[in-house]
Amino acid sequence: MAPSLIPKKAGERVKTDRRDALQLARLARSGDLTPVYVPKVDDEAIRDLTRAREDTISDLKDAKFRLKAFLLRQDIRYAGRANWGPAHLRWLAEVVCPTPAQQIVFQEYVRAVTDHTERLGRLDQELREQVKTWRLHPVVDALQALRGVQFTVAVTMVAEIGDLTRFEHPSELMKFLGLVPSEYSSGARRQQGGITKTGNTHARRVLVEGAWAYRYPAKVSRQLQLRLEHQPPSIQDIRWKAQVRLCKRYQRLVAKGKHANVVTVAIARELVGFVWAIAKEVPLTQ
């Protein structure tokens, strides 16, 4: 059970093992205790690997930001688009700072970007190798049939949530991820606000990122077609139904004047239902 969600009376100052046991027994009988999902050792290991990758991406962004900020302070500007492509990297190799001390700082910033980039590549490769022997690998493979759900999105979502089929209805999974709107209603007055943002932030973030792919018309790209080749017809039917519905819904909500971020979160909430439906189609070996 979740200790932080155990109901407690205000002003209760006496705590003993006997009183706690009796209180837990009463709450269990009334159904007021909230169970938690306990991941297996292998599941937690993959989750740690995905979070290490996410931390590396954050460190890489910070290192790039520091390097660009340093160059701007020296009024050293790149004429093209600073997208860290081959041309941009060649330009960085030719940069000369005004003083030797500043040149040392510049080289250290460049080295930090290089180190984080190499670490990200190692983690990406290791993650792909470890997932191949993971018991939830079939689910990760099947979820990639959905548009916007590539490998990193699928493996992060499964690693953070665990067994998706433990939820009896997709609405429960939407609530678990904090993608449902908050509400404050009383009597005839009903007021809804932003999403609750409860639950796992890592899974919610990758879902919203994947939902941005539905702002374009429905189609099957070459990359998506390669991911669909070995999927059964039932999963292919679900992914096409998802793409047609979500692409139309995105355009319809935008036409009503909704902000793009609000629309994308709404698409991510509905995408959860199709993720749950695909997970139900995949048999797992315990």
Side-chain angles (χ1 to χ4, degrees):
M1 299 301 170
S4 60
L5 299 180
I6 296 177
K8 295 180 180 179
K9 294 181 180 180
E12 185 70 43
R13 303 297 297 272
V14 180
K15 180 187 182 305
T16 64
D17 291 344
R18 179 180 178 82
R19 290 171 66 92
D20 288 346
L22 290 173
Q23 180 68 5
L24 289 173
R26 295 191 187 99
L27 293 173
R29 181 179 60 186
S30 62
D32 291 330
L33 294 179
T34 304
V36 295
Y37 173 76
V38 181
K40 296 181 181 294
V41 176
D42 295 340
D43 301 347
E44 195 169 2
I46 297 295
R47 186 182 66 186
D48 290 338
L49 197 55
T50 58
R51 291 188 180 182
R53 180 186 177 277
E54 185 177 337
D55 292 339
T56 303
I57 293 177
S58 178
D59 295 339
L60 178 59
K61 289 181 179 179
D62 291 342
K64 289 180 177 179
F65 177 80
R66 294 189 189 101
L67 176 56
K68 288 184 176 181
F70 173 78
L71 292 175
L72 286 176
R73 289 198 302 271
Q74 312 307 319
D75 198 22
I76 301 175
R77 303 173 185 273
Y78 181 59
R81 184 176 180 181
N83 57 357
W84 304 95
H88 184 209
L89 295 177
R90 285 194 301 267
W91 176 81
L92 287 174
E94 299 173 356
V95 170
V96 178
C97 295
T99 65
Q102 291 171 333
Q103 187 68 29
I104 291 175
V105 174
F106 170 73
Q107 295 297 337
E108 290 296 329
Y109 280 149
V110 172
R111 183 176 179 180
V113 173
T114 303
D115 291 343
H116 291 314
T117 303
E118 294 175 352
R119 179 154 61 101
L120 179 60
R122 292 194 300 269
L123 288 173
D124 279 334
Q125 182 179 0
E126 191 63 31
L127 183 60
R128 291 184 179 275
E129 292 296 327
Q130 294 292 333
V131 169
K132 291 179 181 178
T133 58
W134 190 26
R135 70 180 185 91
L136 295 176
H137 174 258
V139 181
V140 175
D141 195 36
L143 291 182
Q144 295 180 60
L146 290 168
R147 182 177 181 176
V149 183
Q150 299 182 358
F151 174 77
T152 54
V153 176
V155 69
T156 301
M157 188 164 45
V158 177
E160 295 293 342
I161 302 175
D163 186 8
L164 299 172
T165 59
R166 74 178 189 271
F167 298 95
E168 296 182 358
H169 194 271
S171 61
E172 298 180 3
L173 182 54
M174 297 173 190
K175 295 177 183 178
F176 176 80
L177 293 173
L179 288 171
V180 297
S182 58
E183 184 173 350
Y184 185 82
S185 302
S186 180
R189 178 174 174 270
R190 184 170 184 262
Q191 181 180 0
Q192 288 185 314
I195 59 174
T196 59
K197 293 186 179 180
T198 58
N200 193 286
T201 58
H202 305 276
R204 183 171 62 252
R205 179 186 59 81
V206 296
L207 271 169
V208 174
E209 287 182 359
W212 280 103
Y214 293 93
R215 65 186 185 274
Y216 303 110
K219 69 173 185 178
V220 180
S221 62
R222 182 176 180 275
Q223 293 80 3
L224 183 57
Q225 184 62 43
L226 293 176
R227 303 202 301 263
L228 290 171
E229 289 180 349
H230 59 284
Q231 296 297 340
S234 59
I235 293 180
Q236 295 196 26
D237 293 341
I238 293 174
R239 65 91 193 168
W240 181 245
K241 180 181 178 181
Q243 187 169 170
V244 172
R245 174 181 172 83
L246 297 182
C247 290
K248 288 183 178 180
R249 180 164 175 77
Y250 189 97
Q251 299 300 328
R252 186 165 58 251
L253 291 176
V254 170
K256 290 182 178 180
K258 299 289 185 180
H259 193 278
N261 293 343
V262 176
V263 175
T264 304
V265 172
I267 297 301
R269 180 169 56 249
E270 290 201 24
L271 181 60
V272 171
F274 294 101
V275 168
W276 178 85
I278 288 181
K280 284 285 188 179
E281 297 290 330
V282 181
L284 292 179
T285 58
Q286 301 298 331

